[in-house]
Amino acid sequence: MKIGLFFGSFNPIHIGHLIVANVMATTTDLEQVWFVVSPQNPFKKNKSLLHEFDRLDMVEKAIADNPKFKVTNIEFSMPKPSYTIDTLIRLQEKYPQHEFKLIIGGDNLAQFPNWKNHDKILEYFGLYVYPRPNSEASDLENHPNVRLVKAPLLDISATFIRECLKNGQSISYMIPETVEEFILRKKFYL
């Protein structure tokens, strides 16, 4: 099976994530999209980062009705901070029957050469890239293992959602209803 890996903190998961994942799962040759919940991004130090199990729960609630989506907590047991290449290798060892592709936003493509072992990721896994607002052009757009995927240009951010919650504003329609209920019940981000 060809599987797209969508890494993120998902703090919280929102409709932008779900729309991108759905486009990847329905308009490309990817058969599934796995959400890889990251305990800590080496490039982000975030004081408002919820516990990884709460974020995993939110992703599970958000994708429960879509058989093309799965979530994995593979990084929870890995050394922190976890690097994408290490996770890709661990997943390939655990699931040798699958072919994994990395899903990233166009805003990350220009920075991709700064990633640990980026050349190995390109060579052995490859990238599926979705458009993001204000993305810089990158020489990698023409790389044979980089596939640019047409998707809606969405500028919804988890930061904006957390700000709304902190200010007592509605987050309806920006995140799935089940996730909104969970966040409000647990009083997250207040």
Side-chain angles (χ1 to χ4, degrees):
M1 194 182 303
K2 191 180 275 192
I3 294 167
L5 298 172
F6 195 179
F7 285 70
S9 54
F10 304 111
N11 188 40
I13 189 167
H14 54 70
I15 61 152
H17 297 129
L18 297 169
I19 290 169
V20 165
N22 191 59
V23 166
M24 292 293 175
T26 60
T27 69
T28 71
D29 56 347
L30 297 175
E31 296 167 77
Q32 286 187 340
V33 172
W34 291 7
F35 292 79
V36 183
V37 179
S38 301
Q40 178 190 342
N41 178 325
F43 295 113
K44 287 183 187 173
K45 300 287 184 246
N46 190 341
K47 291 184 182 119
S48 62
L49 191 64
L50 285 186
H51 191 278
E52 55 208 40
F53 288 110
D54 292 321
R55 291 181 287 115
L56 183 76
D57 284 349
M58 286 191 285
V59 174
E60 286 173 343
K61 289 176 187 327
I63 68 170
D65 62 346
N66 192 327
K68 286 183 169 270
F69 294 167
K70 298 218 178 311
V71 63
T72 177
N73 64 359
I74 192 133
E75 289 194 334
F76 291 11
S77 60
M78 293 176 66
K80 293 169 187 62
S82 48
Y83 292 93
T84 304
I85 185 65
D86 301 328
T87 308
L88 289 167
I89 291 167
R90 175 83 56 99
L91 281 165
Q92 196 65 78
E93 287 169 351
K94 189 170 180 177
Y95 304 100
Q97 73 276 26
H98 296 318
E99 180 183 350
F100 293 104
K101 300 293 180 184
L102 180 61
I103 298 170
I104 67 169
D107 53 335
N108 283 318
L109 191 58
Q111 303 307 315
F112 190 71
N114 299 329
W115 291 27
K116 180 181 175 188
N117 296 114
H118 75 280
D119 51 334
K120 300 287 183 234
I121 295 172
L122 275 173
E123 184 181 347
Y124 296 109
F125 299 97
L127 305 178
Y128 280 52
V129 182
Y130 60 92
R132 288 282 293 142
N134 306 315
S135 296
E136 294 174 43
S138 168
D139 295 338
L140 289 174
E141 290 172 16
N142 299 314
H143 191 284
N145 288 341
V146 172
R147 179 168 176 181
L148 302 178
V149 178
K150 253 178 101 171
L153 197 59
L154 300 162
D155 199 10
I156 298 168
S157 76
T159 305
F160 180 79
I161 292 167
R162 291 192 305 270
E163 282 297 312
C164 288
L165 285 161
K166 203 165 90 178
N167 297 325
Q169 298 164 330
S170 171
I171 56 168
S172 293
Y173 308 110
M174 289 187 274
I175 62 174
E177 227 173 276
T178 54
V179 176
E180 182 179 9
E181 289 165 6
F182 182 70
I183 287 172
L184 295 175
R185 186 167 37 84
K186 295 277 203 166
K187 297 179 174 32
F188 288 150
Y189 309 114
L190 299 179

